[in-house]
Amino acid sequence: MLWRIRTTLADRPGILAEIALACGRSGVNILGMQVFPTSPRVTDEFIVSAPEGWGDVQLAELFEEAGGAQVSATRVSDDSLIDAPTRYLRGVHEVLEEGRDAEEVLRELLETEPPDVADYRGHDVLDLTRRNGSVLRISRAIPFTSVERARAQALLSLVSDAGYETPLISPSPRQQVPMVREATLADIEAVAALHARCSVETLYNRYQVPLRMPMTTRMARRLVSPESGVALVVQVGLDVVGHGVLEALDTVWTFQLLVEDAWQGQGLGTMLVKQAAGRAKSHGAPRLTFITEGSNDKLLRTVGNAGFVARVERHDGNVHITVPLSAVRSIAAG
């Protein structure tokens, strides 16, 4: 059985040797250790395996007799042997890529769930601030160190900066002026919300396959940060009402776009087409290809409204609309 022992020690040479010697004499094996600097004392955390029949009381007494104070002993799993930075990085991955709730991940990392210490002295409170200003409160019987507080806030800030836990945005008034810009990770939830508001037909024209909803965080993240290109969004007020991905497939630059049903027919697609063409030109592309479902004539009209003379070809049931970029003015990234 593994235990986490947390104790406050005098910050002096030799104290760890005394702890290790006491553990060795009692058959308690130290498997891992973390140091949480404080002043004028230091808080150390040990992961240990204890002999059969040992409990939290015996372990606490062992460390107290060796010079420890404010000792707490908690049963833990083998995951506690993984170093803390790796566990927190894995936690970020689980939130962003697997869609887990940030609070649930933090509670696992901070080990707030039972079993807790037997000697219950009340809860220490950890208040973490989300990107939207709301507060996530986590508490446990064992006091939080300043290092743990900093790690937890850093994780929550990181996933919040990537758009996680930002409320879905409701439509804003039409009188706002549309703006085309490059997408960022902060647009993840807004792009997911855009897809949720689009009809099945609009989504099929964009992806050429039925799109399974609701959209996952992983897919939305790829839509705002493609591996080999750039994503564009149309923002009206606080809402993202259009989206497109410009990317290089082998040597061919392609662009696929999506405009929310309620905003179609108002020139937003034309704005996206012009911006995509300028950015493709800045990357040295001689031409740009738009791909859509075979029966979608709206995109061809959109390309024409942008001032292009296009070559139209059919490939595997889809329409490829290719335009030359020789007369297009480059648009730098940013």
Side-chain angles (χ1 to χ4, degrees):
M1 179 179 296
L2 298 183
W3 296 83
R4 169 175 282 107
I5 312 298
R6 183 167 291 187
T7 180
T8 301
L9 300 172
D11 191 6
R12 62 173 176 82
I15 186 65
L16 290 179
E18 296 171 16
I19 294 289
L21 182 60
C23 287
R25 287 173 175 170
S26 300
V28 174
N29 189 22
I30 299 175
L31 302 175
M33 178 184 171
Q34 279 194 84
V35 177
F36 301 103
T38 56
S39 181
R41 301 172 70 80
V42 63
T43 298
D44 284 356
E45 182 179 275
F46 302 87
I47 304 298
V48 305
S49 62
E52 188 70 28
W54 276 58
D56 52 353
V57 174
Q58 294 97 316
L59 285 167
E61 290 176 348
L62 171 66
F63 277 78
E64 287 172 353
E65 291 171 0
Q70 298 175 321
V71 180
S72 63
T74 311
R75 293 188 296 274
V76 294
S77 67
D78 291 343
D79 287 342
S80 296
L81 294 174
I82 303 172
D83 73 290
T86 299
R87 294 179 66 213
Y88 274 78
L89 288 172
R90 181 181 295 173
V92 171
H93 174 84
E94 290 173 356
V95 174
L96 295 180
E97 301 295 336
E98 300 176 13
R100 291 193 63 195
D101 181 71
E103 180 176 356
E104 178 185 359
V105 170
L106 280 169
R107 290 190 181 280
E108 288 184 3
L109 291 170
L110 296 168
E111 297 182 321
T112 64
E113 302 299 326
D116 210 328
V117 292
D119 186 7
Y120 184 83
R121 297 187 179 92
H123 280 99
D124 189 18
V125 174
L126 172 59
D127 285 337
L128 305 172
T129 304
R130 296 185 178 92
R131 180 170 175 245
N132 62 7
S134 62
V135 174
L136 169 60
R137 171 163 289 186
I138 297 178
S139 60
R140 73 179 185 195
I142 301 173
F144 296 104
T145 67
S146 58
V147 173
E148 287 178 309
R149 293 174 184 272
R151 285 174 181 166
Q153 182 61 66
L155 184 147
L156 188 62
S157 297
L158 179 59
V159 298
S160 296
D161 286 343
Y164 190 80
E165 293 186 348
T166 303
L168 298 184
I169 302 172
S170 58
S172 57
R174 291 289 178 84
Q175 63 267 24
Q176 300 280 358
V177 178
M179 174 184 66
V180 179
R181 59 173 175 82
E182 291 189 13
T184 70
L185 290 176
D187 294 310
I188 286 178
E189 289 294 337
V191 168
L194 162 65
H195 283 71
R197 297 194 299 266
C198 287
S199 66
V200 173
E201 179 184 3
T202 294
L203 293 174
Y204 188 82
N205 286 338
R206 163 62 175 89
Y207 295 98
Q208 294 86 57
V209 294
L211 185 63
R212 181 172 60 89
M213 297 297 289
M215 174 172 290
T216 64
T217 301
R218 178 185 297 223
M219 181 176 181
R221 190 172 189 274
R222 289 177 177 174
L223 287 175
V224 301
S225 182
E227 292 182 1
S228 57
V230 63
L232 303 176
V233 293
V234 182
Q235 182 173 341
V236 180
L238 296 177
D239 303 311
V240 168
V241 298
H243 171 265
V245 174
L246 174 68
E247 57 186 341
L249 302 177
D250 296 326
T251 59
V252 178
W253 280 87
T254 66
F255 185 64
Q256 291 181 277
L257 68 147
L258 175 74
V259 175
E260 183 179 340
D261 295 61
W263 287 90
Q264 292 177 13
Q266 301 184 51
L268 273 60
T270 301
M271 293 173 61
L272 278 169
V273 166
K274 289 180 177 179
Q275 289 283 328
R279 283 172 166 79
K281 179 65 176 290
S282 71
H283 287 283
R287 60 190 63 86
L288 179 61
T289 298
F290 305 89
I291 303 174
T292 186
E293 193 271 330
S295 62
N296 180 21
D297 295 328
K298 293 180 180 178
L299 180 58
L300 185 58
R301 291 195 297 270
T302 298
V303 172
N305 291 337
F308 293 111
V309 177
R311 184 180 75 247
V312 180
E313 299 174 313
R314 291 188 178 273
H315 296 273
D316 300 325
N318 295 328
V319 170
H320 289 206
I321 305 168
T322 302
V323 300
L325 301 179
S326 56
V328 173
R329 180 180 297 178
S330 296
I331 299 176

